[in-house]
Amino acid sequence: MSFLPMILAIVFSSSAWHVPPAAERVRWAARAHDVTILRDDWGISNIHGRTDADAVFGMVYAQAEDDFNRVETNFINAMGRLAESEGSSEVWRDLRMKLFIDPDSIQADYRRSPMWLKALMDAWADGLNFYLATHPAVKPHVIGHFEPWMALTFSEGSIGGDIERVNLNALQGFYAGVTPTASTPDAGGDGFPPEPGGSNGMAVAPANTVAHHALLLINPHTSFFFRSELQMTSDEGLDVYGAVTWGQFFVYQGFNRRAGWMHTSSGVDAVDEYLETVVKRGDHYVYKYGADYLPVRERVITVPYRDGAALKHQTVTVYYTQHGPVVRPAGGKWV
């Protein structure tokens, strides 16, 4: 069954969040003509596009069909916009993300990306916006319109990243003058405990199998619905099957006709922290670097948060050295 060509008969309906221009709707519909989505007996999407970008358009559309909420939530988290949906309780989680993921920097990365990568990101945004335009009953929590650069804010698709290692209590204590409470593991954005850590993978050589074909196995140690399973093909030669972390436009774990890939997570020491000796000079700070003192860079971050029907804002002045953002105090120094 071909899904996207059929959708052209659907009347576009304006969303309360974003009304797409007529030219955009026409362009999305034209792209949909070059995409086919077939679902097998298990509901797995098999997407084919004329180009690789068309296949991306279809694969993210299919993910939105399966669970738009998970797709949007991943990017709300990645861009530090959870408080816009959940309220002031998520302000410090959002600030933690914004310390590391700056929209201006991400947009600059998008602008200097090679054309082939831009084409994929453009198609990604088109696919999600086309889904919203054709499903007026779906109300986004925060993101009413997806921009291509947003795809770069969430490229790590495992069960937890390095940013989550920054303790929220200590972060709030440093920037808001709140005495940190006992450290507790951060819950996920849905209020549940974080996904279990660790995973396993193995490869069996063809010489050791009955059919003389390689066997590639992975046990990712995530919940059953942590990723979406699908296949992508295109007339340009793309042919890949595997698992996609919700909302991403690439297959995170999978195989093509020549190779397979997977990953595992571990507790390896891969993050460095720096203790900075900081001195206040006038209204600003400097930190010791060798025999010199360098200025501490200041940046004002505004975190919007939902308060009933209103959208309010909390503004925080944050600090950076050349080693990165300051996240907490320790023994009279800044980390």
Side-chain angles (χ1 to χ4, degrees):
M1 183 175 185
S2 178
F3 277 78
L4 287 182
M6 292 175 59
I7 290 172
L8 300 180
I10 298 175
V11 177
F12 284 94
S13 178
S14 298
S15 164
W17 294 87
H18 179 79
V19 180
E24 287 286 87
R25 292 179 286 175
V26 171
R27 184 172 61 80
W28 298 337
R31 170 161 259 168
H33 269 299
D34 295 325
V35 180
T36 301
I37 299 175
L38 303 176
R39 291 188 180 269
D40 62 22
D41 292 342
W42 293 272
I44 304 300
S45 299
N46 298 267
I47 302 105
H48 181 78
R50 182 178 58 86
T51 65
D52 290 353
D54 292 335
V56 166
F57 176 94
M59 70 97 80
V60 76
Y61 180 97
Q63 290 183 64
E65 281 187 316
D66 288 340
D67 200 331
F68 176 80
N69 179 63
R70 284 178 180 261
V71 172
E72 186 195 15
T73 297
N74 277 343
F75 286 90
I76 290 174
N77 268 319
M79 292 189 289
R81 301 183 64 182
L82 190 61
E84 293 178 46
S85 172
E86 303 300 321
S88 60
S89 62
E90 300 297 344
V91 162
W92 297 101
R93 186 184 305 276
D94 282 354
L95 180 71
R96 179 174 65 182
M97 298 304 293
K98 291 176 182 292
L99 281 173
F100 294 92
I101 299 179
D102 176 20
D104 292 339
S105 297
I106 298 294
Q107 291 174 41
D109 288 340
Y110 167 78
R111 289 192 295 270
R112 60 174 168 257
S113 294
M115 291 307 298
W116 67 265
L117 181 56
K118 276 187 178 177
L120 300 184
M121 291 187 281
D122 292 347
W124 171 86
D126 284 349
L128 289 172
N129 291 327
F130 183 64
Y131 172 82
L132 289 176
T134 54
H135 291 76
V138 175
K139 303 299 182 184
H141 294 293
V142 173
I143 308 175
H145 182 74
F146 288 83
E147 300 289 341
W149 62 269
M150 293 180 180
L152 293 176
T153 65
F154 182 55
S155 58
E156 202 289 322
S158 188
I159 58 176
D162 296 333
I163 294 175
E164 283 76 14
R165 300 190 190 190
V166 174
N167 183 273
L168 292 180
N169 285 323
L171 185 72
Q172 183 178 4
F174 181 79
Y175 283 113
V178 177
T179 301
T181 57
S183 177
T184 56
D186 293 333
D190 53 9
F192 292 100
E195 295 286 349
S199 50
N200 310 112
M202 66 179 70
V204 182
N208 295 327
T209 67
V210 173
H212 299 296
H213 294 295
L215 294 179
L216 307 174
L217 304 100
I218 181 170
N219 175 16
H221 287 202
T222 64
S223 61
F224 189 74
F225 293 106
F226 187 79
R227 297 187 178 95
S228 172
E229 186 177 350
L230 52 80
Q231 181 182 25
M232 299 171 66
T233 61
S234 79
D235 292 342
E236 291 184 330
L238 179 68
D239 188 357
V240 59
Y241 189 102
V244 179
T245 306
W246 291 105
Q248 293 181 340
F249 65 80
F250 52 89
V251 174
Y252 197 76
Q253 300 162 323
F255 60 92
N256 58 25
R257 295 183 181 276
R258 296 179 177 83
W261 55 94
M262 50 79 65
H263 86 294
T264 63
S265 301
S266 73
V268 64
D269 181 9
V271 177
D272 289 325
E273 292 185 333
Y274 295 85
L275 287 173
E276 308 285 20
T277 299
V278 179
V279 177
K280 191 169 187 179
R281 289 185 178 172
D283 294 330
H284 301 281
Y285 294 97
V286 295
Y287 67 102
K288 188 172 178 58
Y289 187 75
D292 300 320
Y293 279 89
L294 303 180
V296 173
R297 182 167 68 90
E298 299 179 4
R299 176 183 167 211
V300 176
I301 295 181
T302 299
V303 181
Y305 64 93
R306 178 69 51 188
D307 184 5
L311 190 64
K312 298 183 178 180
H313 299 81
Q314 182 163 339
T315 300
V316 182
T317 298
V318 297
Y319 304 108
Y320 291 79
T321 74
Q322 67 176 14
H323 296 131
V326 178
V327 297
R328 71 178 189 274
K333 297 179 183 292
W334 289 6
V335 180

